[in-house]
Structures are given as C-alpha cells and as structure tokens.
C-alpha cells in the first residue's frame, strides 16, 4: 500500500487541480500538507508541514513512525517541489519516492521573490530518494533548460509533457491520467522515459 503526501505550491491547489482530484481519488491514503504560510511561503514552515504529513501518513498506515510506511510518494507541485526536496535532504527517510511536477526556478525572472523570499538561494542537490521531475517546455516559472538543470542537480530523470504551461488547473489537465501513470511507474520502480 502506498501513502501519498500532497505538497501543493503557493496558495494550495484549487479543486480543479490534478493534485486535488487525485487526493479525492486516494481518500485516506492521501495526506495534504498544511503549512500556516500558504500565501507567503516560509521554507521552514513548509518543511515542518511535510514532516507532519509524513508522520500522519505513518500513523494512518498503522506502522511505527520510525519505520515509516514502507512506500510513501511525495506528490509535489511548483514551490512544493522545493519543500519536498528540502525535507528529503533533512529527514533522509527510507521507502520514499518524490514526484516533482513543475518546480519553479528560484533564479528565473517569474519566481515570486517577494512572496517566497525564504526559498531564494536554494539549489538542487542530490536527493536521497528515487525521484522524477515532470516539466513543461513552456512553463513560465521554469524554462526547459532550467528544469533540466534542476533534474540533473537532484539526480532525477526529467520527463517533458510538452507545452502544458505550469501543469496546473490552467493547463486543463483534469484528472491527468498520464501523470498518474508516470507516478505509478515511479512508485513501481519502472524507468520513466
């Protein structure tokens, strides 16, 4: 059984966002992070929120927290990718995979510097978990070269979904079946091209 930790970007994911649709589909197997600083993200608050969601997922699956849940999938979007990466680097949990969708480039011109100032200066270092970066070639928050550099820094393959903007509600993906298949492959240990 897989526990899913939903880690949205600034403001959370609205009801039409693929993360919210997946969360409803997964029911009690999914836990959404709940930072106090949704609108003005504080990196420490977000990382603490990921830890709290991980602990809740562990309890829900009836296993001791120090053992984890066996298989946990971090399902992160946008700024949530950075919270997931920072948490992974600090917690170094076992049995976790990271599905990182549309990470923004902190050095890019569209990065929300004022709102997310505690995320400035982050750089992608090797992640201690099997990971996949899913990127759009026309993402206004991270161009193709920058997302490739992030994937390389995180030691994660990069999968392009073509031109899908920021891979959010505005992209019109609905339940995003192709994304669910990518996540399934990641969880199952299948190489994603």
């Amino acid at each position: 059984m897989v526990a899913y930790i939903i880690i949205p970007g600034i403001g959370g994911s609205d009801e039409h966002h693929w993360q919210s649709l997946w969360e409803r589909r997964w029911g009690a197997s999914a836990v959404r992070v709940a930072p106090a600083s949704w609108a003005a993200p504080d990196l420490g608050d977000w990382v603490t929120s990921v830890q709290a969601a991980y602990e809740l997922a562990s309890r829900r699956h009836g296993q001791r927290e120090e053992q984890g849940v066996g298989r946990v999938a971090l399902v992160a979007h946008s700024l949530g990718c950075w919270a997931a990466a920072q948490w992974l680097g600090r917690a170094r949990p076992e049995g976790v995979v990271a599905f990182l969708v549309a990470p923004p480039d902190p050095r890019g011109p569209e990065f929300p510097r004022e709102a997310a100032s505690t995320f400035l200066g982050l750089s992608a270092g090797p992640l201690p978990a099997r990971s996949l970066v899913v990127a759009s070639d026309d993402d206004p928050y991270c161009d193709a070269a920058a997302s490739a550099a992030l994937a390389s820094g995180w030691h994660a393959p990069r999968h392009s979904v073509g031109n899908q903007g920021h891979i959010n509600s505005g992209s019109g993906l609905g339940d995003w079946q192709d994304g669910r298949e990518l996540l399934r492959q990641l969880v199952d240990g299948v190489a994603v091209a």
Side-chain angles (χ1 to χ4, degrees):
M1 185 169 193
V2 178
Y4 301 97
I5 298 176
I6 309 294
I7 312 170
I10 292 177
S13 297
D14 67 33
E15 64 184 10
H16 304 293
H17 195 289
W18 56 268
Q19 278 183 314
S20 298
L21 298 173
W22 291 4
E23 181 181 6
R24 286 195 291 276
R25 172 185 292 272
W26 293 327
S29 294
V31 177
R32 182 181 288 244
V33 299
S37 59
W38 274 125
D42 175 77
L43 180 59
D45 177 39
W46 281 41
V47 170
T48 298
S49 184
V50 175
Q51 178 64 34
Y54 178 76
E55 291 169 1
L56 178 57
S58 297
R59 286 193 301 275
R60 280 189 181 173
H61 283 75
Q63 296 183 7
R64 295 185 333 202
E65 289 175 279
E66 62 269 13
Q67 290 181 329
V69 295
R71 291 199 311 176
V72 174
L74 304 180
V75 181
H77 178 256
S78 193
L79 203 59
C81 296
W82 285 104
Q86 291 298 299
W87 177 78
L88 282 168
R90 294 175 190 183
R92 307 190 75 75
E94 293 186 19
V96 174
V97 298
F99 188 67
L100 307 172
V101 179
D105 176 8
R107 292 164 186 78
E110 298 301 318
F111 190 82
R113 285 173 170 66
E114 224 173 278
S117 62
T118 59
F119 287 75
L120 293 173
L122 294 178
S123 58
L127 295 176
R130 192 169 65 252
S131 306
L132 176 66
V133 173
V134 180
S136 170
D137 295 333
D138 65 348
D139 188 336
Y141 298 101
C142 191
D143 64 32
S147 65
L150 292 177
S152 176
W154 281 326
H155 291 191
R158 177 189 181 272
H159 178 86
S160 171
V161 294
N163 294 330
Q164 293 292 338
H166 196 44
I167 315 177
N168 56 11
S169 299
S171 301
L173 298 171
D175 193 51
W176 194 28
Q177 184 175 350
D178 290 344
R180 280 200 335 271
E181 177 59 20
L182 289 170
L183 175 60
R184 185 199 62 76
Q185 291 173 17
L186 177 66
V187 168
D188 290 348
V190 175
V192 178

